[in-house]
Structure formats: structure tokens, C-alpha cells
Amino acid sequence: MAWEVVIGLEIHAQLATNSKIFSGASTAYGAPPNTQACAVDLGLPGVLPVLNEKVVRMAAKFGLAIGAPVAPRSVFARKNYFYPDLPKGYQISQYELPIVNKGQIQIEIDGKEKTIGITRAHLEEDAGKSLHEDFQGLSGIDLNRTGTPLLEIVSEPDMRSPKEAIAYMKKIHSLVRYLDICDGNMQEGSFRCDANVSVRPQGQKEFGTRSELKNLNSFRFVERAINIEIERQIDLLESGGTVRQETRLYDADKNETRPMRSKEEANDYRYFPDPDLLPLLIESEFLEQIKAELPELPDDKKQRFIQQYGLSLYDASGLTSSRELADYFEEIVKLSNSDAKLCANWVMGDLAALLNKNNLEITDSKVSTIQLAAMLRRISDKTISGKIAKQVFEAMWNGEGDADTIIEKRGLKQVTDTGAIEKLIDEVIVNNPKQLQDYRDGKEKLFGFFVGQVMKVSKGKANPKQVNELLKKKLEG
Amino acid sequence: MHNKTLAELSHALHQREYSSVELTRYFLERIERLDTQINSFISVTAEMALAQAQAADQRLQSGNASPLTGIPIAHKDIFCTEGVKTSCGSKMLDNFIAPYNATVVEKCHTAGLVMLGKTNMDEFAMGSSNETSFYGPVKNPWDTQAVPGGSSGGAVAAVAARLAPVATGTDTGGSIRQPAALCGITGLKPTYGLVSRYGMIAFASSLDQGGPIGDNAKDVALLLNVIAGFDERDSTSLNHPQEDYTAHLNDSIAGLKIGLPKEFFGEGLNAEVGKIVEAAIKELEQAGATLHEIELPHTHLSVPVYYIIAPAECSSNLSRYDGVRFGHRCENPQDLLDLYKRSRAQGFGAEVKRRIMIGTYALSAGYYDAYYLKAQQIRRLISNDFTDAFKQVDVILGPTSPTTAFKIGEKVNDPISMYLSDINTISVNLAGLPGLSIPAGFVNQRPVGLQLIGNYLNEARLLNVAHQYQQRTDWHRQNPPKFL
Amino acid sequence: MSLPIDAVEKIAHLARISLSEQDIPLYTHHLSNILAFVEQMNSVDTTGITPMAHPLDAVARLRPDVVSESNQRDHFQCNAPQVEAGLYLVPKVIE
């Protein structure tokens, strides 16, 4: 039977504030355990929450960016359950009245655009962490993360493959970074995701029973976890079993999902409005002010890149996948005064490959925009060929200096002097009499051989266009 | 010294007739000698008190004292006091040394008041008789067989027995006013949000409000001057300009429109208590007030509404007591669930458990609309009743409690009859209004309290009416015979 | 209304309070009485009435995003039943 996969994602984006959502404790990552858990975070008797203004701004920014109505009135509610990393025995979240309502976002799959619905986004506080290293058979609780502001972004079950899920997740990742509301650091848990996954026979209207996958803290894990969960569900259904609605934990080491013991019993969260917090009102003036502060959004930027620089949808999407990458690209276009397509090729090609290989972000690039622009200028003014440029680029990456220095030091300057090239061609013709004869007898395929030989003796430095022209003349005799 | 008003004590301290240290020692000695009869204190902080008194004396000497500098005060054990056990009347927090001060406590410290200790209370403020305290019941100074009321029973009994000149209390459904009535003293529940809740251990967050307890209206006004005020740590704190609550005490009440809700004078009101209230009303009429019969038609629903809303909020507020970061932890927990269940079963008393369970039920899936939401809707109707009433009258008056103090043990096994003793006070909390109880007479040597209810932020008006009444009567000057 | 015993057990579990065998009938009795008592609420038609979650129709006040708290771990952990290496210890957490 053919199965259709249905995926919805709940993304938790940690908002990049200095202090926590309801307390004045620092949100800095990596502090010694419990040194950033203040009285409010610990839920000491008598303490009270006060909402951080910045998180409201950030959530409103997100709402505006996905074209969703930002609620003029939203309410914080308590989600009640007992867990050692939840000091108060309830999590302050938003339930019936979230700050951001229905919106949508475009993703690209195989060059085609697809719209993914966003059901809602709401503010909530993060929980602490249970550490499972053994303390005489006990667990240790670190509450530093408690109270860190989160924006939970809930999608519609609109995705039909793990690939779409990843595309969506990357799009949201890029958006929150564009908006400067989340650092997107997945290793530190600033951007995490739960996936609701189900399968149904192709053509069936009703959704199948879903499982909720937790602990997906990298794009790779999301893809792998969804894939094996799909397999598990299909195997189960095809062997006559049924899928249970349950929460499953992804174990990256074993690459498997298993039911979460702590979620085995059906929860009754007893949501009710938090009496310690009053309704949050957002006035239209406040929204206007935030609107004015919004940066150019990825989709707008993408359209502009296509129009302004004549780039393909593919290049434009890639270059606008992060604000920093887009800025990098635009800067080298400006600095190098070169063809935008050439710039795009270098950023998306050699630079992206090296970044990828070294697991670096564009902001960590070892080649600065100034350096890359200078090199591109040398391609444009024919000092070096595109092929030689690859060498120069690698040398720059390895810290050997600027393009001009490397070209100079390694003697990579392109040979454009007609006389010098003719000399090289003569040398090649003299050394290959048989090939010359064959060519002249009509074996025109051998033209490529001669080009290759000339380039070889020039150590790649001869201007290829000139080599072609001059060689043609000489061979014809 | 113990029969002096705050104004008199303040005057004496400022005139150096005696020092704060002497005054503090005097009250510490009374507590030591007399509190065994009524059990009004959980902790007495003698050493700290004397240190604070010394500091107060220095301030008095150097001339930068405020009106209440050097005056001893007792704090209800619901307010966090840094370095001092803050038990909230519960075994759960018997070992809890608060690591910070409640805003109210901090304000008192800043004003130079001297903390004598922490007063006994119903466990987590859940009770109307002070019998639910882990530290044993408080006894009514007028009759030690009777309850003092609750939950601020310790604070009220301590002031009534003159073991402390003034005290702080909290009022969620009548917890300042009902015991004040039953012990014959003056107690104010301010407008919700006037006094910061930061550091005041939460019972029901949308109802809890701290307030002053004293011998008379002026003392209460003086203490309110210290503890009222905006607090940025409490999201529900009102940003209301600082007032001097003593400023209008001497204003005439001629022409004051007093509303008498017929619901407060109906079935359930003890006839003798009714007579005393009638007499008090006459007194105010003679002072120039006019009387108007009004209706608060949803009053009878305030108790059921309260017994959904308060337990719902408390069930969540008390989830933090889980044996992990502070408070009681059971011995040798087998696993997490066992840790939670046994720690909480052992740490909480029966009434607290009852309320947590009722609240848990009222919020649970399938019952939320029928209980919690319904209660919140009726709460609106109750509040609207007051809004309508205040279009016609300036203050509302009635008995604080339908009866005088009942015997210890009398209602322990009948929660509902206990709940009904707060029928006249609860609606005020539901609406968030200010309410004041003042002594108005006795039935069989047990005090009767008169409740005055004002519109939002009309504390000064309530205190004015109370003061004028106290100028014409001396019920507030009576002391229990054993504590003269 | 009378609560069935298993409902009381379920509530006690949700509230994480262990009840002994002899406690259950007493709690069942008291809780049932309270629920019967609050039934009075049904005498009022509340259709269309906005629930009142809060006594004041006030709105949220916001605080600036400023770090105002410093490390007080040792001070706070004085009250903790069991700590090690700055962590609060609990029986093994199984996810």
C-alpha cells in the first residue's frame, strides 16, 4: 500500500533576551548549576512573576513577519504538572489566548513553493534540566534554564515528507534569526523541535494516529527521527497493528524512538488563567512601532535578489537563507563591482563548500568580504582565470594573505600577452607533430587536446579565451 | 505601656520618655509571660528585635526617625522574613528559613518598626478558626475555650491580648476582619493591589491581600501608611499615589450615606449580634450619617463561588511544595512519585489537602466549565452588585461575622459550617474591595465586630468612619480581663 | 453529588498526595459535601457573563529586560533537603 506521511512541528525558539521572561535572572548559557536560578525561578514561597517587555516585542515581531494577527489581548495560563525540573509545579504558558494567531510561511521544495500554515505562536517559560549522571543513584536538577523565554511556534499538519519538515524548520530558523529574536543555536538548545508524525493510506482524508517525537535538537536528527518513526508506523500498520497516540523520545545514539515513561499516563494539565499575571494588552501604536523596526524579511529579500541581481530562484533562496549570508553577498557585489551572478556562484559554491566542510557559519568565514571582493575583481579584470581563482581562494582561506599577495607570491597572474601565448602554442605544436597531422587531416576533436596542453605548459595561467583564438589560427596553419 | 495607642507610643519614643529597647523588652516579657495562654506566636525573635530596637533608638536620637520607628510589631507567619523561620502554619515549612524579606516586612524594617516575632495562623491561611495550624490552635483572649477566628488568628489574638501593639495579617476571605471581629479589635483588608503580595506566601492569588491589625482605626491607618504602596515585583500591585491615611480621620461624617444590605441582616444572623449592630448603626446615624437599605442579591453565592476559586488557585499555588528545593521531604523516597506523594501527604494538614483536592477537581478536564468558569462568572455578578450599590451609597455596613466566637473544636468536623462563618466577608475579596472590622460591643463577654465596606481605594473613608465611631464609643478600649 | 472513590483516588494522584486506606472514605465524604454545597451556583443563569479572573480590570505591567539578580545559590540551597555539586538531588528521573 502507498502511505502518505503527515507531519506537524512544534518549534521552541528561545528568545534572545538578557533576563528571563518573569524574573531578573540572567539567561546566559553555560553558567555553573543553579547560579542563575533566582528566587522567582526557584518558585520560592511568596515570589511573583513580572513579564519582560522584550519578549512581548519579540513575539509581536514574529507575528508580523508571518502575517499573523498579533492578539490585542492575550492571557498567561498555568499548565499544571509535577516534574523535578518544573519548580512551581506549573509552567506559565499561554493557552486559550496566545499572543500570535494564525499565519503562514512559504517553503521551497524541488524549486516549487509550498505554503505551510502556522496555527499559533505563544509565549512560555522554559523548564530546568535533569542531569542523569549518577549521584548515588539520584538525579541532579539544574534550574538555570528555568524561566528562559520561549516562543512556541505550532504548525498545521501541512508537511508531507521529512524533507518538507526540514525545509520548514530551516525557514523558521532563518526567520527568527533575521528578526534577531533567537540566536538559533541548536547545540545549546536555543532552537528545538517536537514533531507530530502520522501516516495514512494515500487518498484517505482522515489523519492517522500520531505520535509526538521529542528531543529533536538538530536538523539531521529531525530528519532521521521522522524517517525511522514513519518506518515504524508503516511496519506496525502493515503487520496488522495500530499506532498508539503517545510521546516518544528520539535516541540519537541508537537511532530509535521509544515511548517516554514520564508521559505514559494521560495528562490533565488543569490550565487556568494565572492569577499572578494580568492580561497582556497590545495597542496598535505599539505594533506600528514594531512594524517600523522590522528588517527586510527573507521572502522580500529573495524577490529583490531575483529582480535586482537577476539571480535564479535557487540562488536567491540560498543566499537569503540567512541575513548574514545575504549581507555577505551584497557586500561583495558592492565592493567587487563585479557581475552579481559571479558573486553568487562564489558564495554559494566554493565558500559554502568550505564553510560546510569546516562546520562554520558565514560569520566565521576565514575569507572576509573585502578579501573575496578583491579576488573577484582580479577575475573580472582578467588578472586570473576562474580556475586559478580556486587556488587563490583556498590560499586566502588558509591565511596566506590577500588575493594580490597570493597571485604575486605564487606567480599566478594570467598570461594575456599575445606574443607570450603564441610562444607557448608554438612549443606545443612542435612537440606534438603526430597530433598536428591528425588534426589537419580532419580529426577536429583534437582541438581540446591542444588547449589542454597549452594550459598545462602555462601552468593554467594563460587566458583561455585568447588561447582558443590564437590556437585556432595556428593550427589552421 | 501596652494600653497606649501607637500615636502615644510614638510620642513617648520621640520624647525619649522610654527607649525602643525598653518598649521592646516590655512586650517580649508580656509574650513570654502570657502567650502560653493563647499560643499566638510561632516564633519570637527576641534577639533580632532588640538589635532592631537599638538601631531604632539611634535613629530616634539622630532625628531621622519616621512616625513608627521603634514601635514593636508582630508579622503573620505568612510573610517571608529573611533568616527567620517562615512556616505559614504548616509542617511543610516548619524547617523553612526564608532567604528574603517580603515587601511588607521590608517596608516595616525601613520605617524602623521592630519585629517581635511571627504569629500563628491557620495552615497556609486556610481556615476560619486557627485550628488548622501545625503549631496548635490559637485561643481567643476573651475566652480561651473559644477560637479567635482565622486565619490571622495569632496576629489578632496577640494584638487583642496586647502582646504586640500592632500586627500584619492577610485576608483572602475574611482572614483579617473575621478574627478582628471575634477578638474585638480593628483590622483592615485593603483594596486588592494596595499592599504588595511579594513575599507573602500565596494561598489564592486573586483574593489574597495583606493588611494592618491594631487596637483602633488610627493605629491601623498609621500602619497602612507604612505597608501600602506600589511594588514593581508584584504585577498586580496598584500604581496608586501614596496617601496619608490619617489625614481624614477627623472629618465629619455628617451626610455620609451608609448602605445596609438586607442580605447581611437576614437568616443566619445571631439575634444578639444583630442588636449590637443595630446599636452601632444608631450611633453612626447620630453622628450625621444617613441610612439606606440596599441589595447585594448574589451574596448567598459568595461562599460556594469562593470555595471553587480559592481552592482552584491554591491547588496550583501549593504545587511548589514537592520536597525538592525547600520544605518537608519524606524519609527514603522510593522514587519520584513516592517523594511527591508522601512529602505532600505528611507536610500538609487535612484542610489544606481537602482544598487542594477540591481545586484540582474543579480545574480538571471535563469539570472546568461547570465549576471554575461558572464561579468566575458569578464572581462578576457579585462584583457588579457592589458597583451598583456604590452608585447609591458611600459605605456599606453590616456584621463582620453572623455570630460571636465559637468553641474550639465545635466546627472542626463540619467544613461547610466553618466556611459559612465567612459569609459576610468573602464577597468583599471576590470583588477586591476594602473592608474594615471594628469592635461594636459584646454578647456574653464575646466581642462583636462591625464591618464597613468601601469602594475601591476608599480606605481613608472607611478609617474616617471607624475613627468617628471610636470617638463616640469605647468598645475598642476594652481589654480581655486576663490580659489587662 | 457524591464522588465515587476512584474519582477521589484520581484527584489525589493528580495532586500528588498519598491517601491512606482509612483517609479515603473521609475525604470522599467531605469532598462530596463541598461539591453538593457548590451546586447552588447552578441556580444562576450565567449565559453571556464574562468570567472575572481578577478583581481589578487592570492590565499587565512590563519590566525592562535587565539582569537584576545575582547568584545566591548557596543562600537558597540552605533550605534544600539534598544537594550536591550545586544540584538539587531527587530520586532518579526517568524520561
Side-chain angles (χ1 to χ4, degrees):
Chain A
M1 197 189 304
W3 296 93
E4 184 178 45
V5 177
V6 176
I7 304 165
L9 296 185
E10 287 167 21
I11 290 172
H12 289 89
Q14 223 173 63
L15 297 176
T17 54
N18 296 320
S19 66
K20 294 188 177 171
I21 181 166
F22 297 119
S23 83
S26 167
T27 55
Y29 180 82
N34 291 310
T35 55
Q36 284 176 181
C38 73
V40 173
D41 305 330
L42 291 174
L44 290 185
V47 299
L48 296 169
V50 183
L51 183 60
N52 185 337
E53 187 256 356
K54 193 89 173 272
V55 304
V56 177
R57 274 178 185 278
M58 289 177 159
K61 261 186 176 178
F62 181 79
L64 290 171
I66 59 162
V70 176
R73 182 175 181 274
S74 63
V75 168
F76 286 94
R78 294 184 182 177
K79 179 181 184 180
N80 294 285
Y81 65 97
F82 286 85
Y83 209 63
D85 65 12
L86 188 70
K88 299 187 295 296
Y90 59 84
Q91 178 194 31
I92 306 176
S93 181
Q94 295 186 308
Y95 183 54
E96 279 181 336
L97 298 169
I99 185 163
V100 174
N101 292 299
K102 229 170 172 45
Q104 60 182 50
I105 205 164
Q106 305 290 327
I107 59 168
E108 256 156 59
I109 287 294
D110 304 326
K112 271 187 272 172
E113 292 203 313
K114 176 172 175 171
T115 301
I116 304 293
I118 292 173
T119 318
R120 60 184 278 166
H122 65 256
L123 288 167
E124 62 183 29
E125 56 179 348
D126 206 346
K129 280 180 184 163
S130 310
L131 305 176
H132 305 298
E133 293 102 75
D134 212 23
F135 295 96
Q136 311 131 45
L138 303 172
S139 289
I141 307 295
D142 174 10
L143 299 172
N144 279 347
R145 200 178 65 182
T146 307
T148 302
L150 295 179
L151 186 66
E152 177 170 339
I153 303 157
V154 183
S155 84
E156 295 285 318
D158 283 350
M159 287 150 277
R160 295 290 173 268
S161 67
K163 211 168 149 189
E164 288 186 11
I166 298 298
Y168 166 77
M169 196 176 166
K170 284 192 167 159
K171 191 65 188 270
I172 297 284
H173 187 252
S174 141
L175 182 61
V176 295
R177 294 179 66 200
Y178 258 85
L179 296 171
D180 225 357
I181 62 173
C182 172
D183 69 16
N185 189 326
M186 295 177 80
Q187 263 167 348
E188 291 177 2
S190 311
F191 190 86
R192 3 188 246 273
C193 159
D194 299 339
N196 289 310
V197 178
S198 66
V199 297
R200 61 181 170 190
Q202 200 86 50
Q204 182 182 298
K205 261 192 125 175
E206 303 78 47
F207 291 131
T209 308
R210 66 189 158 86
S211 56
E212 186 181 355
L213 303 180
K214 292 242 178 222
N215 198 24
L216 310 177
N217 50 15
S218 78
F219 292 118
R220 202 156 44 100
F221 286 172
V222 173
E223 187 158 16
R224 274 163 55 178
I226 294 176
N227 269 322
I228 55 165
E229 178 59 17
I230 293 168
E231 260 175 57
R232 189 190 70 88
Q233 289 189 11
I234 292 175
D235 283 353
L236 204 58
L237 292 169
E238 289 189 339
S239 60
T242 50
V243 175
R244 263 173 41 140
Q245 178 155 350
E246 63 187 352
T247 307
R248 298 177 71 85
L249 192 70
Y250 176 65
D251 185 332
D253 296 331
K254 295 183 188 153
N255 194 31
E256 62 172 29
T257 68
R258 59 182 154 81
M260 272 179 93
R261 297 237 338 240
S262 56
K263 303 272 177 181
E264 261 172 14
E265 61 178 293
N267 263 310
D268 185 341
Y269 290 123
R270 290 158 284 136
Y271 282 99
F272 75 108
D274 191 330
D276 287 332
L277 291 162
L278 298 163
L280 172 62
L281 295 203
I282 296 183
E283 318 252 340
S284 52
E285 290 146 47
F286 179 80
L287 274 189
E288 286 306 319
Q289 190 200 334
I290 289 176
K291 212 176 256 174
E293 290 168 12
L294 280 185
E296 186 183 23
L297 297 174
D299 285 348
D300 298 337
K301 208 184 268 284
K302 183 174 73 186
Q303 287 312 319
R304 180 167 66 79
F305 277 21
I306 292 173
Q307 276 161 21
Q308 182 178 340
Y309 300 117
L311 299 179
S312 66
L313 175 65
Y314 177 83
D315 281 346
S317 298
L319 288 170
T320 54
S321 66
S322 90
R323 194 160 143 184
E324 292 78 13
L325 189 64
D327 288 350
Y328 189 100
F329 163 74
E330 291 208 272
E331 218 170 302
I332 58 163
V333 172
K334 206 172 94 195
L335 290 171
S336 69
N337 209 8
S338 302
D339 176 37
K341 178 68 190 158
L342 176 74
C343 297
N345 287 347
W346 274 92
V347 174
M348 296 283 286
D350 294 67
L351 177 61
L354 273 176
L355 289 172
N356 225 345
K357 195 175 130 195
N358 292 289
N359 212 357
L360 293 174
E361 296 294 320
I362 184 69
T363 43
D364 309 319
S365 169
K366 299 199 172 176
V367 177
S368 71
T369 47
I370 297 171
Q371 284 180 304
L372 183 53
M375 188 195 87
L376 293 177
R377 272 204 307 274
R378 293 294 164 259
I379 299 178
S380 300
D381 70 11
K382 303 200 168 65
T383 307
I384 51 172
S385 67
K387 206 164 172 194
I388 287 293
K390 287 180 189 292
Q391 266 186 65
V392 177
F393 184 73
E394 266 200 53
M396 288 199 298
W397 182 274
N398 293 328
E400 289 178 32
D402 293 342
D404 284 349
T405 317
I406 294 163
I407 293 167
E408 184 66 28
K409 208 165 77 188
R410 295 197 179 180
L412 295 175
K413 206 167 175 184
Q414 184 165 244
V415 180
T416 49
D417 171 29
T418 312
I421 295 175
E422 280 179 335
K423 241 168 104 183
L424 294 172
I425 291 173
D426 292 343
E427 189 187 323
V428 167
I429 290 177
V430 169
N431 290 336
N432 296 285
K434 182 162 184 302
Q435 281 83 352
L436 180 70
Q437 196 51 52
D438 289 352
Y439 180 82
R440 289 195 170 148
D441 289 347
K443 224 176 171 184
E444 288 187 15
K445 270 200 312 206
L446 280 169
F447 186 72
F449 165 79
F450 284 103
V451 173
Q453 289 301 308
V454 175
M455 292 310 285
K456 199 173 162 191
V457 295
S458 80
K459 299 199 178 84
K461 289 186 289 184
N463 180 312
K465 207 171 151 216
Q466 283 173 292
V467 170
N468 269 300
E469 282 166 15
L470 294 170
L471 190 61
K472 201 151 239 168
K473 268 190 228 155
K474 293 257 179 192
L475 289 176
E476 308 290 77
Chain B
M1 284 193 252
H2 62 274
N3 286 324
K4 298 247 189 305
T5 65
L6 281 197
E8 289 163 348
L9 289 176
S10 172
H11 182 78
L13 287 171
H14 279 85
Q15 294 303 309
R16 322 294 301 144
E17 286 170 29
Y18 37 81
S19 67
S20 174
V21 169
E22 285 169 297
L23 186 63
T24 302
R25 275 194 213 285
Y26 179 83
F27 278 101
L28 288 170
E29 184 278 326
R30 268 185 82 81
I31 295 168
E32 167 99 37
R33 182 159 50 87
L34 299 168
D35 196 41
T36 47
Q37 295 177 54
I38 55 170
N39 193 30
S40 67
F41 279 85
I42 290 173
S43 309
V44 177
T45 51
E47 213 171 297
M48 193 181 265
L50 289 170
Q52 288 176 355
Q54 246 164 17
D57 281 331
Q58 272 166 15
R59 273 180 72 175
L60 285 158
Q61 212 145 31
S62 61
N64 64 349
S66 66
L68 299 191
T69 301
I71 305 271
I73 188 171
H75 288 302
K76 185 175 180 178
D77 209 18
I78 200 168
F79 290 102
C80 284
T81 42
E82 186 166 2
V84 175
K85 176 165 99 173
T86 300
S87 74
C88 221
S90 182
K91 180 182 177 185
M92 183 59 87
L93 291 177
D94 183 45
N95 59 3
F96 180 66
I97 309 296
Y100 73 103
N101 278 327
T103 299
V104 162
V105 171
E106 199 60 49
K107 279 176 178 282
C108 288
H109 282 356
T110 307
L113 283 138
V114 173
M115 181 173 85
L116 295 169
K118 308 290 296 288
T119 59
N120 203 345
M121 55 182 286
D122 277 301
E123 184 180 7
F124 283 102
M126 296 177 203
S128 309
S129 67
N130 231 295
E131 292 166 288
T132 71
S133 171
F134 172 64
Y135 301 93
V138 176
K139 288 152 195 167
N140 192 318
W142 289 93
D143 175 356
T144 50
Q145 303 291 303
V147 303
S151 68
S152 310
V156 161
V159 173
R162 309 308 294 157
L163 306 186
V166 277
T168 54
T170 61
D171 189 317
T172 304
S175 282
I176 287 175
R177 291 159 290 155
Q178 182 255 21
L182 270 42
C183 292
I185 60 163
T186 304
L188 172 72
K189 179 208 100 73
T191 303
Y192 183 89
L194 187 65
V195 172
S196 167
R197 292 188 299 117
Y198 192 79
M200 191 178 106
I201 297 178
F203 157 19
S205 312
S206 78
L207 301 162
D208 295 343
Q209 181 62 203
I213 293 164
D215 175 66
N216 59 72
K218 190 173 179 187
D219 287 7
V220 163
L222 282 165
L223 183 55
L224 185 63
N225 278 349
V226 173
I227 63 173
F230 174 68
D231 182 5
E232 58 181 19
R233 287 182 179 270
D234 176 359
S235 297
T236 60
S237 170
L238 288 171
N239 205 343
H240 177 66
Q242 198 79 38
E243 275 187 60
D244 176 4
Y245 294 98
T246 63
H248 294 283
L249 292 175
N250 294 317
D251 291 2
S252 158
I253 59 165
L256 177 85
K257 287 187 265 181
I258 296 179
L260 304 170
K262 62 177 194 195
E263 292 79 7
F264 286 8
F265 294 89
E267 194 192 343
L269 176 62
N270 173 289
E272 300 298 313
V273 171
K275 278 184 204 156
I276 294 209
V277 175
E278 294 297 336
I281 292 168
K282 282 230 168 65
E283 196 66 55
L284 290 166
E285 200 177 11
Q286 279 165 20
T290 60
L291 308 177
H292 305 264
E293 192 166 300
I294 57 163
E295 283 184 25
L296 298 170
H298 296 95
T299 300
H300 67 291
L301 292 172
S302 60
V303 182
V305 164
Y306 178 84
Y307 279 94
I308 291 300
I309 293 175
E313 293 182 10
C314 104
S315 71
S316 174
N317 282 335
L318 271 60
S319 292
R320 67 191 63 201
Y321 306 105
D322 59 3
V324 176
R325 295 162 318 286
F326 46 77
H328 178 75
R329 175 182 229 165
C330 66
E331 301 263 321
N332 303 317
Q334 298 306 298
D335 52 30
L336 259 181
L337 195 61
D338 185 45
L339 167 73
Y340 290 148
K341 287 192 168 182
R342 275 199 299 130
S343 299
R344 289 166 62 79
Q346 293 165 3
F348 293 138
E351 180 62 20
V352 171
K353 286 188 240 186
R354 258 198 299 271
R355 295 203 197 183
I356 290 175
M357 287 171 64
I358 279 291
T360 302
Y361 183 72
L363 291 175
S364 63
Y367 300 100
Y368 181 87
D369 287 4
Y371 291 109
Y372 186 73
L373 206 65
K374 182 87 184 176
Q376 297 282 43
Q377 288 176 311
I378 302 178
R379 181 178 190 177
R380 167 99 40 207
L381 297 176
I382 291 168
S383 174
N384 289 348
D385 285 352
F386 281 110
T387 310
D388 292 342
F390 283 118
K391 285 176 190 155
Q392 307 160 49
V393 300
D394 302 316
V395 297
I396 294 170
L397 186 149
T400 308
S401 173
T403 65
T404 55
F406 44 90
K407 281 244 173 310
I408 292 173
E410 191 181 320
K411 297 187 179 181
V412 181
N413 292 314
D414 186 357
I416 290 169
S417 121
M418 182 80 83
Y419 297 170
L420 284 168
S421 71
D422 290 330
I423 187 151
N424 295 345
T425 48
I426 278 177
S427 54
V428 176
N429 297 80
L430 291 169
L433 295 165
L436 176 72
S437 181
I438 50 175
F442 294 85
V443 172
N444 301 327
Q445 284 86 53
R446 289 188 193 174
V448 171
L450 189 68
Q451 177 176 226
L452 294 161
I453 303 166
N455 209 339
Y456 296 106
L457 295 168
N458 268 355
E459 281 78 4
R461 195 61 183 272
L462 293 183
L463 290 161
N464 165 226
V465 178
H467 183 69
Q468 289 306 306
Y469 177 77
Q470 290 178 341
Q471 295 300 100
R472 306 171 69 95
T473 58
D474 67 352
W475 304 115
H476 62 290
R477 295 205 164 276
Q478 315 277 324
N479 276 3
K482 287 184 188 162
F483 300 89
L484 295 173
Chain C
M1 100 161 257
S2 185
L3 276 177
I5 288 205
D6 62 342
V8 174
E9 286 172 336
K10 196 189 140 211
I11 299 165
H13 174 68
L14 262 180
R16 297 294 186 270
I17 293 173
S18 67
L19 292 183
S20 66
E21 283 304 315
Q22 59 264 40
D23 282 347
I24 294 174
L26 189 65
Y27 278 98
T28 306
H29 172 71
H30 280 148
L31 298 189
S32 298
N33 281 352
I34 295 168
L35 290 175
F37 173 70
V38 302
E39 282 295 307
Q40 295 174 63
M41 294 198 303
N42 294 326
S43 64
V44 196
D45 179 9
T46 51
T47 318
I49 307 288
T50 313
M52 184 172 166
H54 215 272
L56 308 167
D57 280 322
V59 299
R61 185 168 44 77
L62 307 175
R63 45 167 268 272
D65 179 31
V66 173
V67 175
S68 56
E69 304 297 314
S70 50
N71 174 22
Q72 293 193 71
R73 181 177 77 187
D74 296 344
H75 188 44
F76 292 146
Q77 290 192 339
C78 288
N79 278 299
Q82 203 178 358
V83 288
E84 193 180 308
L87 298 162
Y88 296 93
L89 296 190
V90 296
K92 202 118 197 90
V93 176
I94 300 155
E95 280 185 317

